[in-house]
Amino acid sequence: MRITLINQFYPPELAPTGHMVASLAHHRAQQGDSITVVTGRGGYVSETDQPLSYDIPNLVVFRLWTPRLGKSRTVNRILDYAIFYLGAFLRMLTLPRQDVIISLTTPPFIAWTAVFHKWWHRSTRVILWNMDCYPDIAEQTGVIRPGGAISKILRAMNRRLFAQLDHVICLDSAMSEVLRSQYAPGQEPPSFHIIPNWEPSAQFPLDLTPPVWVAAPSFPVANPWVVLYLGNAGFGHRFETVINAAAALKNEPFVFLFVGGGQQWPWLADAARERGLSNIILRPYVSKEVTPSVMALADCALITLRDRALGLISPSKMHANLAMSLPVVYVGPEKSNVDEAIKTYGFGCSLRHGDVGAMVKYLRDLRSDPKKHKEARIKARAAFDGAFNDVQTLPHFDALLDAATR
């Protein structure tokens, strides 16, 4: 089978979507498929300045040039996107006929390049692997006006796009509901599928003992109980409840360790400084290989989601935390992937924004009751082993790809 995957990010970039693409690409290449990846040369956060060359049979990676102007200004991002669109469009037109093209959503609407290939090669099947919902996110962040001319044009593009798709993969039921209701009400195809993101099980064996994190910060208390937020803090996240909980626990041996970056990072730093919260520590992104060492310092993981981001994005931080047997405190709306997983597997606490008291109580209970903490850790690892690793999720892709090409 000839399969192409399209996404602006790919290792050595740290973007989670890139690692999802790499995992699926390697898996299918090992199955004997001819795999092509169309990606960019950077723009998120990279582990190295030099692109990695993977010596994997049956896998070809085309890294398209973009100016890498960054995300600091909207015009820079749009220009990067536009040049990537052009390069991807030309690449897709010149590729031989593909059996299946799987397009992600970075940059937005890049799936149109797959559709153009399908128009040229009618037997090609197109799968949208939806990681983020556009133009909804652009509306929520104020980039475009809801109901305005640009919004109407983009939504019309989406309706036309969805009419050309064969399948849509969503990360949770909330995302599926958003997309189906807006762009495919009663429409067949596309068919909708829910497949969660994952982490490679081989990277997280049960006996894993990661090396000491050499850049670990000095903690303000002895024997701290560490609550870890690992990854991006962007549009989809809120931290007021977390800051208030940290304030309530500032005289107790709790430390809130943030490792990552993103739009909310300056706000977090300012909030911690203004309130004199020495129990909040911020550190920059680390490479994926170092994340187990970071998580080994933690007693509990933290994940947040804005109410208005429900269905538009799906937090990917959960899977590695579960792999490292970390209980999860989730602050956000119900029906997200994290909320549903906690209710199914019982490895943490699902809270709504503003419920500071419940968050403080749960953290105190975990720290004061080693048996409860151990049980939560066991349930976290069981959830990873049962649902959120590549061994469990990649067969869902295999089944979908086989069905798509029958």
Side-chain angles (χ1 to χ4, degrees):
M1 190 183 303
R2 287 182 290 191
I3 302 172
T4 292
L5 296 105
I6 309 171
N7 188 51
Q8 191 168 9
F9 302 124
Y10 193 78
E13 291 284 309
L14 291 177
T17 59
H19 286 274
M20 292 295 101
V21 170
S23 182
L24 178 58
H26 297 179
H27 168 69
R28 293 300 301 195
Q30 290 166 358
Q31 303 286 349
D33 292 329
S34 176
I35 305 299
T36 301
V37 175
V38 177
T39 187
R41 290 183 178 270
Y44 193 80
V45 178
S46 180
E47 299 176 25
T48 172
D49 291 333
Q50 299 299 322
L52 296 181
S53 296
Y54 294 103
D55 186 17
I56 298 176
N58 307 321
L59 173 60
V60 176
V61 179
F62 291 107
R63 296 186 182 272
L64 307 179
W65 180 87
T66 61
R68 301 178 66 176
L69 298 175
K71 301 180 179 180
S72 59
R73 298 173 59 198
T74 301
V75 66
N76 290 354
R77 185 179 299 191
I78 291 174
L79 184 57
D80 272 339
Y81 283 171
I83 294 175
F84 184 78
Y85 289 137
L86 178 60
F89 173 76
L90 295 174
R91 175 57 61 185
M92 296 308 299
L93 284 184
T94 56
L95 280 180
R97 184 192 65 81
Q98 299 296 292
D99 295 301
V100 179
I101 302 173
I102 303 175
S103 173
L104 280 73
T105 48
T106 306
F109 308 105
I110 193 62
W112 271 109
T113 63
V115 170
F116 285 127
H117 183 94
K118 179 180 178 179
W119 286 348
W120 192 250
H121 304 282
R122 302 304 298 179
S123 63
T124 298
R125 296 293 174 256
V126 176
I127 298 174
L128 177 65
W129 189 359
N130 198 84
M131 296 288 178
D132 306 291
C133 296
Y134 293 96
D136 307 72
I137 292 176
E139 292 175 344
Q140 294 287 353
T141 55
V143 175
I144 62 175
R145 183 170 64 86
I150 296 177
S151 175
K152 290 179 179 178
I153 292 171
L154 294 179
R155 289 184 181 278
M157 287 176 57
N158 253 353
R159 286 191 292 271
R160 182 68 189 277
L161 172 65
F162 272 68
Q164 305 299 316
L165 300 175
D166 297 284
H167 301 275
V168 178
I169 299 171
C170 299
L171 304 183
D172 56 33
S173 57
M175 181 178 287
S176 178
E177 290 172 8
V178 166
L179 293 178
R180 189 191 299 267
S181 64
Q182 294 186 124
Y183 305 117
Q187 180 176 298
E188 286 291 343
S191 60
F192 283 75
H193 313 264
I194 297 174
I195 304 178
N197 284 345
W198 66 88
E199 290 287 345
S201 58
Q203 292 185 11
F204 296 94
L206 280 171
D207 59 352
L208 176 65
T209 303
V212 174
W213 183 23
V214 295
S218 298
F219 294 121
V221 294
N223 301 315
W225 210 87
V226 179
V227 181
L228 173 66
Y229 184 93
L230 180 63
N232 183 59
F235 142 75
H237 311 285
R238 280 183 59 188
F239 297 98
E240 294 90 344
T241 302
V242 178
I243 293 296
N244 289 332
L249 295 167
K250 66 179 180 180
N251 295 321
E252 301 176 45
F254 289 92
V255 171
F256 291 77
L257 175 61
F258 292 79
V259 179
Q263 185 183 44
Q264 299 291 328
W265 220 247
W267 184 91
L268 283 166
D270 291 343
R273 183 179 61 254
E274 289 169 2
R275 301 185 65 168
L277 299 177
S278 61
N279 61 342
I280 292 180
I281 299 174
L282 279 72
R283 290 294 183 269
Y285 284 108
V286 298
S287 69
K288 192 169 181 64
E289 286 71 22
V290 177
T291 56
S293 299
V294 176
M295 289 183 283
L297 290 176
D299 298 284
C300 180
L302 171 67
I303 300 174
T304 74
L305 184 69
R306 287 185 183 274
D307 290 346
R308 63 184 184 180
L310 178 66
L312 307 187
I313 63 174
S314 184
S316 59
K317 303 171 179 66
M318 176 178 68
H319 317 101
N321 289 319
L322 297 182
M324 290 296 292
S325 303
L326 289 179
V328 173
V329 175
Y330 165 72
V331 184
E334 294 184 280
K335 296 186 178 180
S336 71
N337 65 322
V338 185
D339 172 70
E340 291 176 341
I342 289 174
K343 290 176 178 176
T344 299
Y345 297 98
F347 54 76
C349 182
S350 179
L351 305 172
R352 311 290 77 81
H353 290 289
D355 200 349
V356 178
M359 183 175 180
V360 169
K361 181 179 185 305
Y362 182 74
L363 292 175
R364 284 173 173 162
D365 288 347
L366 275 190
R367 178 179 174 272
S368 64
D369 189 342
K371 182 179 179 182
K372 181 177 181 179
H373 187 218
K374 182 178 180 180
E375 288 175 350
R377 294 186 72 113
I378 291 172
K379 290 179 179 179
R381 179 65 197 208
F384 174 74
D385 290 334
F388 301 110
N389 65 77
D390 54 344
V391 175
Q392 297 295 327
T393 53
L394 287 174
H396 295 292
F397 278 90
D398 294 338
L400 176 56
L401 290 168
D402 291 342
T405 53
R406 284 176 188 162

